[in-house]
PDB file of all heavy atoms in Angstrom:
ATOM      1  N   LEU A  35      50.034 103.502 160.529  1.00  0.00           N
ATOM      2  CA  LEU A  35      49.051 104.350 161.222  1.00  0.00           C
ATOM      3  C   LEU A  35      47.802 103.590 161.610  1.00  0.00           C
ATOM      4  O   LEU A  35      47.179 103.868 162.621  1.00  0.00           O
ATOM      5  CB  LEU A  35      48.690 105.536 160.342  1.00  0.00           C
ATOM      6  CG  LEU A  35      47.743 106.562 160.958  1.00  0.00           C
ATOM      7  CD1 LEU A  35      48.332 107.154 162.233  1.00  0.00           C
ATOM      8  CD2 LEU A  35      47.446 107.674 159.949  1.00  0.00           C
ATOM      9  N   ALA A  36      47.376 102.623 160.801  1.00  0.00           N
ATOM     10  CA  ALA A  36      46.169 101.841 161.095  1.00  0.00           C
ATOM     11  C   ALA A  36      46.261 101.174 162.457  1.00  0.00           C
ATOM     12  O   ALA A  36      45.262 101.075 163.149  1.00  0.00           O
ATOM     13  CB  ALA A  36      45.914 100.823 159.997  1.00  0.00           C
ATOM     14  N   GLY A  37      47.428 100.690 162.827  1.00  0.00           N
ATOM     15  CA  GLY A  37      47.631 100.024 164.094  1.00  0.00           C
ATOM     16  C   GLY A  37      47.372 100.948 165.293  1.00  0.00           C
ATOM     17  O   GLY A  37      47.013 100.474 166.382  1.00  0.00           O
ATOM     18  N   LYS A  38      47.480 102.219 165.104  1.00  0.00           N
ATOM     19  CA  LYS A  38      47.250 103.184 166.166  1.00  0.00           C
ATOM     20  C   LYS A  38      45.764 103.276 166.538  1.00  0.00           C
ATOM     21  O   LYS A  38      45.403 103.758 167.578  1.00  0.00           O
ATOM     22  CB  LYS A  38      47.743 104.571 165.785  1.00  0.00           C
ATOM     23  CG  LYS A  38      49.195 104.619 165.341  1.00  0.00           C
ATOM     24  CD  LYS A  38      50.119 104.363 166.494  1.00  0.00           C
ATOM     25  CE  LYS A  38      51.564 104.550 165.994  1.00  0.00           C
ATOM     26  NZ  LYS A  38      52.515 103.975 166.913  1.00  0.00           N
ATOM     27  N   PHE A  39      44.901 102.784 165.634  1.00  0.00           N
ATOM     28  CA  PHE A  39      43.454 102.917 165.842  1.00  0.00           C
ATOM     29  C   PHE A  39      42.841 101.617 166.297  1.00  0.00           C
ATOM     30  O   PHE A  39      41.616 101.487 166.347  1.00  0.00           O
ATOM     31  CB  PHE A  39      42.794 103.390 164.563  1.00  0.00           C
ATOM     32  CG  PHE A  39      43.104 104.838 164.246  1.00  0.00           C
ATOM     33  CD1 PHE A  39      44.160 105.133 163.404  1.00  0.00           C
ATOM     34  CD2 PHE A  39      42.400 105.869 164.834  1.00  0.00           C
ATOM     35  CE1 PHE A  39      44.486 106.454 163.123  1.00  0.00           C
ATOM     36  CE2 PHE A  39      42.726 107.166 164.591  1.00  0.00           C
ATOM     37  CZ  PHE A  39      43.762 107.467 163.699  1.00  0.00           C
ATOM     38  N   GLY A  40      43.629 100.615 166.617  1.00  0.00           N
ATOM     39  CA  GLY A  40      43.097  99.372 167.129  1.00  0.00           C
ATOM     40  C   GLY A  40      43.118  98.224 166.100  1.00  0.00           C
ATOM     41  O   GLY A  40      43.677  98.345 165.052  1.00  0.00           O
ATOM     42  N   GLY A  41      42.461  97.152 166.474  1.00  0.00           N
ATOM     43  CA  GLY A  41      42.506  95.946 165.671  1.00  0.00           C
ATOM     44  C   GLY A  41      41.389  95.802 164.641  1.00  0.00           C
ATOM     45  O   GLY A  41      41.235  94.763 164.015  1.00  0.00           O
ATOM     46  N   GLY A  42      40.584  96.837 164.449  1.00  0.00           N
ATOM     47  CA  GLY A  42      39.541  96.776 163.448  1.00  0.00           C
ATOM     48  C   GLY A  42      38.252  96.154 163.918  1.00  0.00           C
ATOM     49  O   GLY A  42      37.372  95.821 163.143  1.00  0.00           O
ATOM     50  N   THR A  43      38.119  96.031 165.268  1.00  0.00           N
ATOM     51  CA  THR A  43      36.895  95.445 165.812  1.00  0.00           C
ATOM     52  C   THR A  43      35.919  96.496 166.353  1.00  0.00           C
ATOM     53  O   THR A  43      34.862  96.144 166.878  1.00  0.00           O
ATOM     54  CB  THR A  43      37.216  94.455 166.965  1.00  0.00           C
ATOM     55  OG1 THR A  43      37.938  95.134 167.968  1.00  0.00           O
ATOM     56  CG2 THR A  43      38.040  93.296 166.429  1.00  0.00           C
ATOM     57  N   ARG A  44      36.295  97.751 166.274  1.00  0.00           N
ATOM     58  CA  ARG A  44      35.433  98.831 166.741  1.00  0.00           C
ATOM     59  C   ARG A  44      35.307  99.893 165.643  1.00  0.00           C
ATOM     60  O   ARG A  44      36.220 100.109 164.859  1.00  0.00           O
ATOM     61  CB  ARG A  44      35.976  99.456 168.010  1.00  0.00           C
ATOM     62  CG  ARG A  44      36.022  98.497 169.156  1.00  0.00           C
ATOM     63  CD  ARG A  44      36.515  99.182 170.429  1.00  0.00           C
ATOM     64  NE  ARG A  44      36.596  98.261 171.500  1.00  0.00           N
ATOM     65  CZ  ARG A  44      35.636  98.032 172.386  1.00  0.00           C
ATOM     66  NH1 ARG A  44      34.501  98.665 172.276  1.00  0.00           N
ATOM     67  NH2 ARG A  44      35.819  97.172 173.352  1.00  0.00           N
ATOM     68  N   SER A  45      34.209 100.561 165.669  1.00  0.00           N
ATOM     69  CA  SER A  45      33.938 101.663 164.744  1.00  0.00           C
ATOM     70  C   SER A  45      34.094 102.970 165.515  1.00  0.00           C
ATOM     71  O   SER A  45      33.850 103.013 166.707  1.00  0.00           O
ATOM     72  CB  SER A  45      32.538 101.518 164.176  1.00  0.00           C
ATOM     73  OG  SER A  45      32.187 102.681 163.464  1.00  0.00           O
ATOM     74  N   SER A  46      34.504 104.025 164.822  1.00  0.00           N
ATOM     75  CA  SER A  46      34.645 105.323 165.507  1.00  0.00           C
ATOM     76  C   SER A  46      33.814 106.367 164.780  1.00  0.00           C
ATOM     77  O   SER A  46      33.843 106.455 163.554  1.00  0.00           O
ATOM     78  CB  SER A  46      36.089 105.724 165.504  1.00  0.00           C
ATOM     79  OG  SER A  46      36.267 106.994 166.080  1.00  0.00           O
TER      80      SER A  46
END
Side-chain angles (χ1 to χ4, degrees):
L35 183 59
K38 305 292 184 195
F39 291 94
T43 58
R44 296 183 183 268
S45 171
S46 177

